[in-house]
Amino acid sequence: MVKIILVTHGQLAQQMLETAAQIIGKPADDGFATFSVTAASSVEKEAAKLHDLLKNCEEGAVILTDIFGGSATNISLTASKDLAKCHVITGLNLSMLLTAINSRKKLSAKELAEKIEADGKRAVINATELLIKGL
């Protein structure tokens, strides 16, 4: 099964996982990890820690980060650069995380990364335009 790792600034990763658990229940296994990045984090040191976690993911991993170009994404890309079955997806939102939780047992890491990206994009909707002004 594909491992899901949330790498974000501050406590966002842990809070996202806790929020998802409130919606669909806590995952019954240990296939999830959170990784917090702070202003004091060293890209090289944190990437080495993350790489150690990733290298044992035989079925692959998907890393979800909060923002493209940020430290969390840079650490994730550095940690996963030599791991073919590891995919980094940025722009984490709750829809993406729910997709990851619900689909990781039935898809490969590559397929899951593609589904997470597509579902995350579909979740961004201008509700005012759709529901209020569209009437």
Side-chain angles (χ1 to χ4, degrees):
M1 155 179 12
V2 177
K3 186 164 189 87
I4 305 297
I5 302 171
L6 307 180
V7 182
T8 65
H9 294 85
Q11 299 304 310
L12 180 61
Q14 185 60 37
Q15 294 297 317
M16 290 287 284
L17 198 55
E18 289 174 15
T19 301
Q22 291 176 13
I23 295 170
I24 59 175
K26 186 173 181 174
D29 57 59
D30 65 348
F32 294 88
T34 60
F35 213 84
S36 295
V37 176
T38 66
S41 295
S42 158
V43 171
E44 294 78 22
K45 288 180 183 178
E46 298 302 317
K49 288 182 205 174
L50 184 55
H51 186 271
D52 286 343
L53 181 64
L54 291 168
K55 66 183 179 184
N56 297 323
C57 300
E58 294 177 15
E59 293 185 44
V62 174
I63 301 172
L64 301 173
T65 71
D66 49 10
I67 188 166
F68 182 73
S71 300
T73 301
N74 295 338
I75 288 167
S76 300
L77 290 170
T78 300
S80 64
K81 68 182 173 190
D82 64 341
L83 303 171
K85 291 184 180 179
C86 185
H87 304 272
V88 178
I89 308 295
T90 69
L92 175 61
N93 63 43
L94 193 53
S95 180
M96 294 166 69
L97 180 54
L98 295 175
T99 293
I101 292 168
N102 288 325
S103 301
R104 72 191 191 96
K105 293 181 181 179
K106 53 191 169 200
L107 299 174
S108 70
K110 182 177 181 355
E111 292 167 332
L112 182 59
E114 291 168 352
K115 181 166 180 47
I116 290 169
E117 179 185 10
D119 287 359
K121 288 177 180 177
R122 273 194 296 276
V124 177
I125 298 168
N126 183 335
T128 300
E129 290 295 321
L130 180 68
L131 300 175
I132 308 287
K133 294 181 180 177
L135 297 175

